[in-house]
């Protein structure tokens, strides 16, 4: 009996150590995988002419990301200048003349503007009952619904994007009556972290 108990104790420790190893390695592995994925994607997006790794005899991991961040920041600084605003306005007018592109560009522009405004303390993070009464989901209020849908249901509706876990880039567009939407004092970043972590990281 004593020998069996010792064997069970050794097996239990081995099992606990194995589980602990999985718990430690999963976030590390996913983080490394996503980092490598971002680096590989950025190396393909960045033109060869401005990519140092295209000229150097060896690759410098992550240099594409740094250059991409610098370029995006530079474009952002130009876009808020007088000349940049004029150029962006001309570009917007040009795209708005192309039937299919203007729909995609306008929708994406409105979505990014909504998420950007959520970083400016505007309340966009909401709590809604989904997929049934009594079940709750965190979503992002994108806009007040107006037009044909509102006139048809004869209610004031809020458009809510409910992202999926752990990939928040996909999700569902739902329309809720205003009185069924609960606004949360959370930033876009806090809500995204909660969604990506599958609820293991509770917002304060």
């Amino acid at each position: 009996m004593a020998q069996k108990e010792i064997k069970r104790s050794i097996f239990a420790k081995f099992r606990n150590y194995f589980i602990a190893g999985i718990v430690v390695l999963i976030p590390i592995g996913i983080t490394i995988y996503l980092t490598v994925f971002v680096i590989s994607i950025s190396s393909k997006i960045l033109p060869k002419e401005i990519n140092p790794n295209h000229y150097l005899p060896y690759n410098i991991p992550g240099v594409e990301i740094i250059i991409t961040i610098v370029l995006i920041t530079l474009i952002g600084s130009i876009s808020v200048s007088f000349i940049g605003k004029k150029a962006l306005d001309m570009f917007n007018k040009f795209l708005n003349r192309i039937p299919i592109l203007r729909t995609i560009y306008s929708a994406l522009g409105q979505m990014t503007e909504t998420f950007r405004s959520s970083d400016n303390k505007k309340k966009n993070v909401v709590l809604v009952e989904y997929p049934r009464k009594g079940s709750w989901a965190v979503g992002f209020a994108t806009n007040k619904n107006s037009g044909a849908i509102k006139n048809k249901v004869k209610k004031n509706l809020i458009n809510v994007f409910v992202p999926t876990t752990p990939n928040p880039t996909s999700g569902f567009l739902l329309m809720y009556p205003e009185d069924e939407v609960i606004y949360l004092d959370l930033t876009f970043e806090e809500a995204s972290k909660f969604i990506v972590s599958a609820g293991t990281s509770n917002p304060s």
Side-chain angles (χ1 to χ4, degrees), residues 4-204:
K4 289 183 178 180
E5 289 295 328
I6 292 173
K7 287 182 178 180
R8 287 179 183 176
S9 177
I10 293 173
F11 177 77
K13 286 183 179 180
F14 179 80
R15 182 190 60 191
N16 292 338
Y17 290 153
F18 180 78
I19 294 173
I22 291 177
V23 172
V24 170
L25 289 175
I26 284 178
I28 293 175
I30 293 175
T31 303
I32 293 174
Y33 173 80
L34 290 176
T35 303
V36 173
F37 176 76
V38 170
I39 291 174
S40 63
I41 290 295
S42 62
S43 63
K44 294 177 182 177
I45 294 175
L46 198 66
K48 292 181 179 179
E49 291 76 13
I50 59 175
N51 188 348
N53 285 335
H54 182 65
Y55 303 102
L56 295 174
Y58 51 85
N59 286 339
I60 304 176
V63 70
E64 295 95 348
I65 297 177
I66 296 173
I67 295 175
T68 304
I69 292 173
V70 172
L71 286 175
I72 292 174
T73 305
L74 181 62
I75 293 171
S77 64
I78 295 173
S79 67
V80 297
S81 66
F82 176 78
I83 298 176
K85 287 180 180 178
K86 289 291 183 182
L88 191 59
D89 186 54
M90 291 176 60
F91 181 71
N92 289 339
K93 288 180 180 178
F94 170 74
L95 283 183
N96 285 329
R97 293 178 181 176
I98 305 175
I100 297 176
L101 288 181
R102 69 185 177 191
T103 303
I104 299 172
Y105 181 73
S106 176
L108 290 175
Q110 290 178 4
M111 185 177 68
T112 53
E113 183 64 29
T114 299
F115 290 150
R116 187 178 70 172
S117 65
S118 67
D119 291 333
N120 297 328
K121 303 304 181 182
K122 182 181 177 181
K123 289 186 176 181
N124 289 90
V125 182
V126 297
L127 196 65
V128 293
E129 287 188 288
Y130 178 81
R132 63 175 179 79
K133 290 287 185 181
S135 296
W136 297 91
V138 174
F140 302 100
T142 56
N143 201 1
K144 287 187 176 182
N145 192 293
S146 60
I149 298 176
K150 176 186 175 182
N151 296 335
K152 199 71 175 179
V153 300
K154 293 180 175 55
K155 288 183 179 180
N156 293 326
L157 301 175
I158 301 292
N159 298 332
V160 178
F161 173 69
V162 178
T164 55
T165 300
N167 178 19
T169 58
S170 65
F172 305 93
L173 172 61
L174 307 170
M175 286 153 278
Y176 284 88
E178 282 185 324
D179 58 352
E180 294 183 15
V181 177
I182 301 174
Y183 287 84
L184 302 174
D185 291 322
L186 296 176
T187 63
F188 174 75
E189 183 179 2
E190 290 172 334
S192 299
K193 184 178 178 182
F194 174 73
I195 293 166
V196 171
S197 68
T200 57
S201 173
N202 288 316
S204 56

